[in-house]
Amino acid sequence: MKYRAEIDGLRALAVVPVILFHAGFESFSGGFVGVDVFFVISGYLISTILIENIEKDRFSIVNFYEKRARRILPVLYLVAISSAVASSLILYPEHLVSFAKSLISTPIFLANFYFWSERGYFGDATELKPLIHIWSLAVEEQFYIFFPIFLLLIKNYKKIFYTSLVAAFVISIVGSYYVTKVHVDTAFYFPVTRAWELLAGAVAAIILHKRLIDVQGQRAEIISIIGLILIGYAYVGFDDHTPFPGIYAAVPVLGTFLYVVAASNSRFTKAVFSSGPLVFIGLISFSLYLWHQPIFALSRHLSMFEENIPELLLLTAVLSCLSYWLVETPFRNRSLISRKTIVIFSSLGGLSLIVIGAVMVSNDGFPNRYKKEDRALLTQLSDYKGYNQAAFDALQGRTFVGDSGPRIALIGDSYAKDMLNVFNESQLFSDVQFSTRQVNSECGNLYLNNYEVIEPNIPLNRLDRCKVLGWYGGDEFDAILRESDEIWLAASWEDWVIDYLPQSIDNLSEKYNKPVRVFGIKDFGQIRPYDLLSIPPNERSEYRQPASDSAKEISLRLHGALDGYEFFYPMLRPLCDGSSSECRIFTDEGLLMSADGRHLTKEGAIESSRRLSSVLARISSSLGER
């Protein structure tokens, strides 16, 4: 195909915002859509090559996958192995095991499914994952496993070809819209809900190859500029609350489509994006994309990211230039590296990544690297998530049986899960029947007659999921609430939720005519494992730090809103020995109360039951009197 320098210029406009987004630049809050620009470009370029070769009867599946291997695998393996070496020296066992699993998924192009299983692209957790960005590469390769075969099978059936292409596009974009509404993470990572973006590039390839639309002169200029405006708007107008991909992804996808179709016949746009600097950034864009995230993530683990962003950006650029010149370019040259060599390299390289990852996983992230007194603490960091969820999730929607003990409906988010663990570890509620209901914090743990009034407070990309989950709705849960003796609420109370909390309590009390107990928030301040390990073991039990300012503010607001309410139980001060400015974050045995400052470890739940003993005993006693 004819080389289009302005497409490489557009690659530069795609990769730079992605990097700036991952670097935390607020002005590029929608920089993540650079990936969608890449999808359309990739769909266009690959489809153009496929269509031209198939029409001339010179298409070869073997040649196609050989070229993909030359293009992708050498630098991908270089970055992955480099990241594995650095991660084995930097990451704690918990994070190293997670990294190892992502490493295993990399050569088999299933990283998108792995990161989907871990949930979430936005937020602190994802910033710490060195290979999180490989998900997009996996989606592309999953598409290219089937698309060439599809083209070959129907190349002689034009009606079927166009009908199938339109059908696949419609199914994918409609699926993306509806799946995004109910579960944004699934829509974000799954190939079916992303395929339409690559197919948009394929449509552009067909239009240009068949000359179905001839855009020239001033019209080409206007259309290509409109495309760039749409892309630019997404970069600065979208953020982590945007329901994405869904219909919002149509903005950058349409923008890229318009640019690809029109830019080659424009003058000004083509000249600008064919300029040397932009083209060079476009040429090294794949290396830039691969290198930046491991560098950023590992530096964040070392708590050295914020102060060294310019240096880290420079390091990313240098490594990208070197890998482009020394790895990408030679491996694409068939006269330098034969097909046999690339096959052997691809097989052994992929196998090496799988073996390295498997060794890391089987050895639990090598905890023996650390001193004996630190190993138990590190084990806590890897186990607390499962512990937090297990008991609560097992009791979701459980119906009460007989009259063997008090019946409690416990409603809330992960903080409610922590509270159930505290109740269980206290041994004071062994005769209680709990039935649980999860209401995510962003939805608001509220029982209201009209939920439309709180919709403006809920992030747009979570609103439809909140509606699907239904707060306290459903006949089965209504029956549980009616059969319960008491209703208990616990949550990481959002600031806006507090305004509606008294009304919610009144609604529950009026409808179900039973006590409604409300538990406040807890917080132990910022937990940084690297800093905590530096504290001598004999000093850990007395180490103190303040709770977060936001937690203190929420706690004060809860006090103000529920002042005088007999069934409100503040948590922050009791768990911090009476002072939210001096929270003991270790148990007497030197183990962590919380792994992240918000959620309890098993030892933290046991210690919390001790610190809250008087409150828990009072509640237990009142239940016995009913």
Side-chain angles (χ1 to χ4, degrees):
M1 62 179 294
K2 181 182 177 181
Y3 173 66
R4 294 181 58 181
E6 76 276 7
I7 295 295
D8 273 327
L10 186 61
R11 289 183 198 268
L13 190 65
V15 74
V16 171
V18 171
I19 293 173
L20 295 178
F21 167 74
H22 285 152
F25 284 76
E26 293 184 1
S27 54
F28 286 90
S29 59
F32 55 87
V33 306
V35 171
D36 304 84
V37 175
F38 274 125
F39 281 160
V40 180
I41 292 174
S42 179
Y44 161 71
L45 294 175
I46 297 299
S47 297
T48 300
I49 295 170
L50 288 172
I51 292 168
E52 289 180 354
N53 285 331
I54 288 173
E55 282 190 350
K56 296 176 181 179
D57 288 325
R58 64 186 188 194
F59 177 73
S60 165
I61 287 286
V62 174
N63 285 342
F64 176 77
Y65 289 124
E66 177 192 346
K67 288 180 179 179
R68 294 301 293 167
R70 289 178 181 275
R71 172 77 174 95
I72 291 170
L73 297 184
V75 68
L76 174 63
Y77 288 174
L78 172 64
V79 172
I81 291 176
S82 300
S83 300
V85 172
S87 295
S88 66
L89 299 173
I90 294 172
L91 299 185
Y92 285 122
E94 173 203 5
H95 294 129
L96 187 59
V97 169
S98 176
F99 168 82
K101 292 176 180 178
S102 68
L103 190 68
I104 293 170
S105 70
T106 296
I108 56 177
F109 298 112
L110 293 176
N112 56 323
F113 292 112
Y114 170 69
F115 289 115
W116 169 81
S117 71
E118 287 200 330
R119 295 293 190 277
Y121 181 73
F122 303 102
D124 294 336
T126 58
E127 291 178 354
L128 299 174
K129 297 176 183 178
L131 297 180
I132 182 72
H133 59 323
I134 301 301
W135 74 270
S136 62
L137 196 59
V139 168
E140 278 195 25
E141 296 316 304
Q142 289 158 16
F143 180 83
Y144 291 130
I145 287 174
F146 299 104
F147 191 57
I149 299 172
F150 164 75
L151 290 180
L152 275 176
L153 290 175
I154 63 173
K155 65 178 181 179
N156 296 322
Y157 306 95
K158 290 186 178 180
K159 289 185 178 180
I160 296 177
F161 170 74
Y162 289 115
T163 302
S164 300
L165 193 66
V166 170
F169 182 89
V170 171
I171 291 171
S172 178
I173 194 170
V174 170
S176 180
Y177 173 72
Y178 282 106
V179 175
T180 299
K181 287 170 72 70
V182 297
H183 203 276
V184 67
D185 293 332
T186 298
F188 194 91
Y189 285 112
F190 269 43
V192 173
T193 51
R194 289 291 195 164
W196 67 276
E197 301 180 33
L198 290 138
L199 289 172
V203 171
I206 293 170
I207 288 174
L208 292 176
H209 181 73
K210 300 291 186 180
R211 301 183 185 277
L212 300 178
I213 298 176
D214 187 21
V215 181
Q216 298 289 337
Q218 191 175 17
R219 284 192 301 167
E221 202 77 70
I222 293 172
I223 290 173
S224 59
I225 290 175
I226 290 173
L228 291 173
I229 290 173
L230 289 173
I231 296 170
Y233 171 77
Y235 287 154
V236 299
F238 292 179
D239 58 26
D240 58 354
H241 289 166
T242 302
F244 202 86
I247 200 65
Y248 283 83
V251 175
V253 169
L254 176 60
T256 309
F257 174 86
L258 294 176
Y259 178 93
V260 168
V261 169
S264 61
N265 293 324
S266 67
R267 294 186 61 184
F268 174 75
T269 305
K270 183 178 181 179
V272 171
F273 281 83
S274 298
S275 62
L278 282 180
V279 169
F280 179 72
I281 294 173
L283 290 173
I284 66 170
S285 61
F286 187 52
S287 284
L288 283 168
Y289 183 73
L290 290 179
W291 278 115
H292 84 278
Q293 179 60 20
I295 291 172
F296 290 1
L298 293 173
S299 65
R300 282 187 167 106
H301 277 281
L302 293 172
S303 300
M304 56 176 289
F305 177 77
E306 299 295 338
E307 298 77 18
N308 299 283
I309 293 177
E311 293 82 356
L312 295 171
L313 290 172
L314 178 61
L315 176 62
T316 300
V318 171
L319 289 177
S320 299
C321 290
L322 291 175
S323 61
Y324 174 74
W325 288 322
L326 303 179
V327 179
E328 286 192 71
T329 302
F331 269 92
R332 291 187 203 177
N333 191 333
R334 301 181 72 173
S335 63
L336 289 178
I337 299 175
S338 66
R339 174 182 292 176
K340 180 180 179 181
T341 301
I342 199 69
V343 170
I344 294 173
F345 169 83
S346 300
S347 302
L348 293 180
L351 182 61
S352 297
L353 295 183
I354 293 171
V355 170
I356 292 170
V359 170
M360 290 177 174
V361 172
S362 62
N363 285 277
D364 297 320
F366 304 109
N368 291 336
R369 292 177 288 158
Y370 300 91
K371 295 179 292 186
K372 183 178 180 179
E373 56 266 28
D374 291 334
R375 291 175 199 164
L377 188 151
L378 292 169
T379 299
Q380 287 185 291
L381 297 177
S382 61
D383 292 345
Y384 83 95
K385 292 179 182 177
Y387 172 76
N388 168 267
Q389 301 168 4
F392 187 98
D393 291 355
L395 298 174
Q396 283 256 36
R398 178 193 182 188
T399 55
F400 299 117
V401 180
D403 297 315
S404 59
R407 302 175 174 189
I408 304 300
L410 176 61
I411 307 164
D413 53 20
S414 58
Y415 280 40
K417 298 180 182 185
D418 273 338
M419 288 307 301
L420 180 60
N421 290 330
V422 172
F423 300 143
N424 289 339
E425 299 294 353
S426 72
Q427 306 298 317
L428 295 173
F429 301 88
S430 56
D431 63 333
V432 171
Q433 292 190 64
F434 282 103
S435 180
T436 61
R437 168 84 164 205
Q438 180 166 331
V439 178
N440 294 343
S441 61
E442 66 269 16
C443 301
N445 188 1
L446 298 166
Y447 182 72
L448 301 176
N449 297 321
N450 176 20
Y451 284 98
E452 291 183 0
V453 297
I454 66 171
E455 288 184 6
N457 300 291
I458 301 173
L460 192 58
N461 61 345
R462 302 293 175 181
L463 178 58
D464 284 297
R465 180 157 179 79
C466 291
K467 293 179 180 179
V468 169
L469 294 175
W471 289 278
Y472 289 38
D475 293 339
E476 292 181 2
F477 190 62
D478 179 68
I480 290 172
L481 291 174
R482 291 183 185 280
E483 293 171 7
S484 66
D485 295 314
E486 294 191 1
I487 300 170
W488 294 3
L489 312 178
S492 55
W493 303 104
E494 300 276 352
D495 186 64
W496 65 268
V497 174
I498 299 173
D499 294 330
Y500 298 93
L501 190 53
Q503 178 187 341
S504 176
I505 296 170
D506 289 343
N507 291 343
L508 285 168
S509 300
E510 181 179 342
K511 181 170 183 178
Y512 297 105
N513 192 30
K514 56 198 61 176
V516 179
R517 301 185 192 268
V518 180
F519 298 87
I521 63 165
K522 62 185 185 310
D523 189 274
F524 298 92
Q526 190 172 39
I527 301 291
R528 289 181 174 176
Y530 283 94
D531 295 338
L532 298 179
L533 286 180
S534 65
I535 301 171
N538 62 329
E539 298 179 11
R540 289 176 184 171
S541 62
E542 293 301 319
Y543 176 80
R544 300 170 187 269
Q545 65 180 32
S548 68
D549 291 338
S550 60
K552 293 177 184 177
E553 180 63 28
I554 292 294
S555 183
L556 286 173
R557 290 211 60 213
L558 280 170
H559 276 278
L562 301 179
D563 184 37
Y565 182 60
E566 62 175 318
F567 295 127
F568 171 56
Y569 304 94
M571 294 285 107
L572 191 59
R573 285 183 175 274
L575 287 175
C576 289
D577 297 325
S579 173
S580 57
S581 297
E582 294 186 353
C583 298
R584 283 194 302 127
I585 63 172
F586 289 97
T587 66
D588 291 340
E589 295 74 28
L591 296 175
L592 277 171
M593 291 281 294
S594 172
D596 60 0
R598 300 180 301 278
H599 301 96
L600 298 174
T601 61
K602 179 178 177 63
E603 294 76 14
I606 295 171
E607 176 64 21
S608 293
S609 70
R610 293 175 186 156
R611 298 183 187 181
L612 299 172
S613 58
S614 61
V615 173
L616 299 180
R618 201 161 62 245
I619 295 173
S620 176
S621 176
S622 68
L623 289 176
E625 296 172 358
R626 292 185 60 82

